[in-house]
């Protein structure tokens, strides 16, 4: 048994996400201990706790807590968030700082990363039709405005080519819209799946850059701006750990903790850890039948796009900074 200890900050959250994927690949071999960021990051854990069958615990003020998801009822459906003692990335305890529900006002600009991808296009249309947004900056590596949203009437759509893992380039994009910017939706991401023994630094960096670095740069570049919303598209992989996706799980766990920390600083933040969307995207379209069967065995069923967007609304209307939005199959 290997015991891994991680602090409860964004770096520690990333370690936790990676470890949860390792646990999925090697059940019973690794034990994860999470400590508070301002506490002892190497607490002594009684042998009985390690042998107790829980693969992941948090040590807080001498108490040992275990992660659980609780159902959160919202106006448009249900999303999962952490209970008061939760340590799962993508969940928070009671008493988190509230900033109020984000509002994508019609008078401001919303910047969407990963905007030319399947989910990005769906979200852009939803922002326009559901929230009345009339000015959207679509950021992607390729740039341009997808045909699926180009015909939206009365809407200013600007496609910008930018690698969000390039801070200088992203700073230029943000500076160009800073005066009117009121919302950010970070939906960029890539996959480069590999088991932990084949997880090279290059594979880590390829996934980490657009997902985690991009989120951090957006956080830094907009923190002084009067944003109404800062929404991160995370993944359930960072919460439960998925085999062969340690790099992806780490990056998404980073996003969940970033949302928690932003909220604690009085900044708007929502991280939505998505389950599988039924509509094939640039990432999920690569999933083989075996991959989908593996997710099904974890109890995660595909989400119809309409249901996913309803959960998006429910997540933003709720008070939790980090939630899971997925269709669970209890059986």
């Amino acid at each position: 048994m290997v015991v891994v200890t991680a602090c409860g900050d964004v770096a520690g959250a990333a370690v936790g996400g990676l470890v949860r994927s390792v646990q999925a690949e090697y059940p019973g071999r690794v034990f994860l201990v999470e400590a508070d960021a301002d506490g002892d990051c190497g607490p002594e854990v009684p042998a009985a706790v390690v042998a107790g069958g829980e693969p992941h615990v948090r040590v807080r003020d001498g108490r040992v807590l275990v992660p659980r998801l609780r159902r959160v009822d919202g106006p448009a459906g249900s999303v999962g968030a952490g209970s008061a003692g939760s340590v799962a990335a993508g969940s928070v305890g009671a008493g988190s700082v509230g900033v109020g529900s984000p509002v994508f006002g019609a008078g401001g600009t919303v910047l969407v990363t990963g905007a030319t991808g399947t989910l990005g296009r769906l979200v852009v249309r939803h922002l326009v039709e559901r929230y009345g947004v009339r000015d959207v900056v679509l950021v992607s590596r390729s740039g341009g405005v997808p045909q699926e949203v180009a015909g939206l009437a009365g809407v200013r759509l600007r496609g910008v080519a930018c690698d969000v893992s390039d801070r200088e380039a992203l700073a230029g994009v943000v500076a160009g819209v800073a005066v009117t910017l009121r919302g950010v939706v970070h939906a960029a991401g890539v996959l480069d799946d590999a088991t932990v023994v084949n997880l090279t630094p290059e594979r880590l960096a390829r996934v980490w850059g657009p997902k985690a670095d991009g989120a951090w740069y957006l956080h830094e570049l907009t923190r002084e701006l009067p944003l109404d919303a800062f929404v991160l598209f995370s993944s359930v992989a960072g919460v439960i750990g998925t085999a062969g996706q340690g790099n992806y799980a780490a990056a998404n766990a980073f996003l969940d903790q970033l949302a928690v920390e932003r909220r604690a600083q009085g900044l708007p933040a929502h991280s939505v850890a998505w389950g599988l969307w039924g509509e094939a995207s640039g990432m999920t379209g690569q999933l083989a039948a075996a991959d989908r069967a593996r997710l099904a065995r974890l109890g995660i069923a595909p989400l119809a796009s309409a249901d996913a967007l309803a959960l998006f609304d429910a997540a933003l209307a709720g008070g939790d900074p980090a939630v899971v939005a997925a269709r669970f199959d209890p059986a």
Side-chain angles (χ1 to χ4, degrees), residues 54-286:
E54 292 284 347
H56 179 187
V57 301
R58 167 180 282 173
V59 178
R60 174 182 286 174
D61 298 328
R63 299 170 60 213
V64 178
L65 308 174
V66 297
R68 296 292 185 268
L69 289 175
R70 61 177 170 83
R71 190 178 183 92
V72 179
D73 292 323
S78 299
V79 289
S83 58
S86 176
V87 295
S91 42
V92 295
S96 56
V97 178
V99 186
S101 299
V103 177
F104 294 101
T109 302
V110 176
L111 184 153
V112 181
T113 70
T116 59
T118 302
L119 304 191
R121 297 195 300 268
L122 287 170
V123 169
V124 168
R125 178 174 288 277
H126 190 64
L127 292 176
V128 171
E129 296 176 347
R130 171 68 174 80
Y131 293 93
V133 174
R134 290 294 176 266
D135 186 8
V136 185
V137 175
L138 296 84
V139 178
S140 65
R141 287 178 180 269
S142 59
V145 177
Q147 184 177 356
E148 294 91 328
V149 298
L152 292 171
V155 182
R156 184 186 186 191
L157 300 171
R158 289 172 280 174
V160 178
C162 176
D163 178 355
V164 296
S165 64
D166 182 336
R167 191 185 191 284
E168 184 176 355
L170 187 58
V173 175
V174 172
V177 296
V179 174
T180 58
L181 188 63
R182 294 296 179 270
V184 170
V185 178
H186 180 48
V190 299
L191 289 176
D192 192 357
D193 293 352
T195 57
V196 65
V197 295
N198 295 307
L199 199 55
T200 63
E202 291 75 21
R203 279 180 149 161
L204 277 167
R206 182 167 184 263
V207 172
W208 185 268
K211 178 67 71 172
D213 282 345
W216 184 257
Y217 296 153
L218 286 166
H219 161 65
E220 290 184 322
L221 294 168
T222 66
R223 62 179 304 150
E224 302 300 327
L225 301 179
L227 297 186
D228 297 315
F230 187 93
V231 185
L232 302 169
F233 271 33
S234 177
S235 169
V236 72
V239 179
I240 64 174
T242 48
Q245 290 194 312
N247 49 2
Y248 190 61
N252 285 289
F254 178 96
L255 263 59
D256 295 331
Q257 184 62 28
L258 175 58
V260 172
E261 295 192 6
R262 277 182 59 91
R263 189 73 69 85
Q265 296 168 19
L267 300 171
H270 281 81
S271 184
V272 185
W274 291 106
L276 179 65
W277 285 52
E279 188 158 351
S281 68
M283 292 191 294
T284 62
Q286 302 173 20

